[in-house]
Amino acid sequence: MTIRVMLVDDQVLLRTGFRMVLAAQPDMEVVAEAGDGAEAIDILRATAVDVVLMDVRMPRLDGVEATRRICEAPNPPKVLILTTFDLDEYAFSGLKAGASGFMLKDVPPAELLGAIRSVHSGDAVVAPSTTRRLLDRFAPMLPASGKEPEHKQLEKLTEREREVMLLVAQGLSNGEIAARLVLSEATVKTHVGRILTKLELRDRVQVVVLAYETGLVRAGGGAL
């Protein structure tokens, strides 16, 4: 199955470079390009796209607002934010807007391709360094240590599921969680799936966002 990709970036040269990398993949095809968020939204009305590679800083309509509008539409494509700026406010705003991932433009090609395939399959991708710094920045704004998180849905989780959720929220991959808890990756994936279902979340990104909002983590990325 071919993954239909849309490139959204105001720099033509960067779009050209990404297009060349994706064109070399047998399972990917660049079906559309746009120079800003407004143009991207217009094109998406008439073009079937699976994954959007979205820049942040663009004229007319920035990538965060474009992501929000795209994700509010029926059956939207997955959005993977790809930016030069490794800044917390962009990451958090983009993920809150509905993006399935946040990567930097200097990511190695193999990692970018893997990220596209991951979000297309329904998973989420966030650069671990970005996730951990987000935790450091936003944790002080959350409920103080010892305060019970205010989210009734969390009561549905088993002790193991809560443990897995905390590790997901700290930016660990399934493999890293499996090693930490001495479980198989398949078992961890099953736990993550149950967590998403019970908490009515779309993907791992929303798990991370929920962890910030409920105070499940504290400064330094640790659990409460």
Side-chain angles (χ1 to χ4, degrees), residues 45-158:
R45 293 191 179 102
T47 307
V49 174
D50 298 312
V51 178
V52 177
L53 290 188
M54 180 73 74
D55 187 22
V56 175
R57 288 188 176 181
M58 295 180 292
R60 291 209 297 166
L61 189 67
D62 65 52
V64 173
E65 178 59 21
T67 295
R68 185 186 67 77
R69 297 185 190 182
I70 290 171
C71 293
E72 287 178 347
N75 302 314
K78 304 292 186 180
V79 177
L80 177 59
I81 292 180
L82 199 62
T83 180
T84 305
F85 305 96
D86 190 9
L87 300 178
D88 301 327
E89 55 265 35
Y90 290 138
F92 194 68
S93 297
L95 301 182
K96 287 282 287 183
S100 294
F102 181 97
M103 302 292 287
L104 300 181
K105 287 181 179 178
D106 62 359
V107 65
E111 289 187 26
L112 173 61
L113 296 172
I116 293 173
R117 294 184 179 102
S118 292
V119 299
H120 178 253
S121 67
D123 204 345
V125 178
V126 183
S129 62
T130 300
T131 300
R132 293 185 176 109
R133 285 186 307 95
L134 279 171
L135 288 168
D136 290 342
R137 172 171 175 172
F138 285 96
M141 306 176 192
L142 301 171
S145 179
K147 181 176 180 180
E148 187 65 24
E150 298 178 0
H151 195 285
K152 293 297 183 181
Q153 294 290 83
L154 296 179
E155 297 175 0
K156 297 180 180 180
L157 301 181
T158 65

Side-chain angles (χ1 to χ4, degrees), residues 196-212:
L196 296 178
T197 298
K198 289 182 178 181
L199 300 183
E200 300 179 2
L201 301 176
R202 183 187 67 244
D203 53 36
R204 296 169 73 98
V205 168
Q206 291 194 339
V207 171
V208 175
V209 172
L210 180 61
Y212 303 151

Side-chain angles (χ1 to χ4, degrees), residues 173-185 188:
S173 66
N174 283 354
E176 290 171 331
I177 295 173
R180 179 79 63 88
L181 301 180
V182 194
L183 300 171
S184 69
E185 284 196 47
V188 172

